[in-house]
Amino acid sequence: MEDQEKKVWRLISKLDVCMLSTLSGNSIRSRPMSAMARPEYGDIVMLTDSHLDKDNEIMRNRHVNLAYSDGGTYVSVEGTAEIEHDRALIRECWSAGAQLFWPNGPEDPSIVAIIVTPEMVEYWDSDNKFIAGLKFAYGLATHTTPFMGEHKRLRL
């Protein structure tokens, strides 16, 4: 059986887009972000523009949530975030997608990295949508509860 922490990092690594949720006053704001899992450092990194609200929200309250899904696997990451201006880290996380948002490249001073250190992770790992749909239909037809996948919650 795969070590649960390794499994969490494997799941997060294969899901490269998440919804980043931050607190904005009394409201919760979520937005899609390209995320790079770095299990060797125990963190997840996203690039963003320093002129947007995310960095200000994180500076006021570092608690964030990252929600991942591909329709068969779901991962919720509770953690703390920090804003980093380190150009080496930004270059490490650079991608063709980032180039579309920042045509001046990774040296653009408006780019910052959001580093999230996971504290609690919950995941649901099941079959793809088609197989899950078949299991669900079979359960309805036979009046049985199908096994829809593994669900775990763990502290990192």
Side-chain angles (χ1 to χ4, degrees), residues 2-4 6-12 14-15 68-76 121-129 131-132 135 146-154:
E2 186 176 8
D3 172 69
Q4 293 302 308
K6 285 182 183 174
K7 181 171 185 168
V8 164
W9 284 110
R10 181 181 59 77
L11 293 174
I12 292 171
K14 78 175 188 173
L15 302 169
Y68 296 84
S69 174
D70 68 358
T73 300
Y74 304 87
V75 182
S76 176
V121 177
E122 190 165 7
Y123 71 86
W124 299 260
D125 189 20
S126 61
D127 299 306
N128 65 44
K129 286 182 187 179
I131 300 297
K135 286 181 175 182
F147 176 72
M148 298 302 287
E150 181 181 17
H151 171 235
K152 297 281 183 196
R153 182 170 167 87
L154 62 136

Side-chain angles (χ1 to χ4, degrees), residues 132-146 148:
L134 289 176
K135 286 181 175 182
F136 188 77
Y138 179 79
L140 287 173
T142 61
H143 304 287
T144 59
T145 303
M148 298 302 287

Side-chain angles (χ1 to χ4, degrees), residues 20-23 43-46 48 54-66 77-84 113-119:
L20 166 67
S21 297
T22 57
L23 288 173
D43 63 24
I44 301 162
V45 180
M46 296 158 278
T48 191
K54 290 182 284 297
D55 56 335
N56 291 326
E57 292 166 358
I58 289 169
M59 286 188 280
R60 284 191 295 276
N61 188 325
R62 296 180 55 215
H63 297 282
V64 299
N65 183 273
L66 306 178
V77 177
E78 299 171 37
T80 55
E82 61 183 281
I83 305 298
E84 181 60 62
I114 299 171
I115 303 172
V116 175
T117 302
E119 295 168 357

Side-chain angles (χ1 to χ4, degrees), residues 21-33:
S21 297
T22 57
L23 288 173
S24 177
N26 292 328
S27 300
I28 298 171
R29 293 191 58 206
S30 299
R31 71 283 276 166
M33 299 288 291

Side-chain angles (χ1 to χ4, degrees), residues 83-136:
I83 305 298
E84 181 60 62
H85 298 269
D86 180 6
R87 291 294 124 198
L89 173 62
I90 292 167
R91 283 190 295 275
E92 176 189 338
C93 298
W94 198 252
S95 66
Q99 188 67 39
L100 291 174
F101 287 97
W102 298 284
N104 294 328
E107 302 307 318
D108 184 329
S110 69
I111 305 168
V112 295
I114 299 171
I115 303 172
V116 175
T117 302
E119 295 168 357
M120 184 68 74
V121 177
E122 190 165 7
Y123 71 86
W124 299 260
D125 189 20
S126 61
D127 299 306
N128 65 44
K129 286 182 187 179
F130 179 73
I131 300 297
L134 289 176
K135 286 181 175 182
F136 188 77

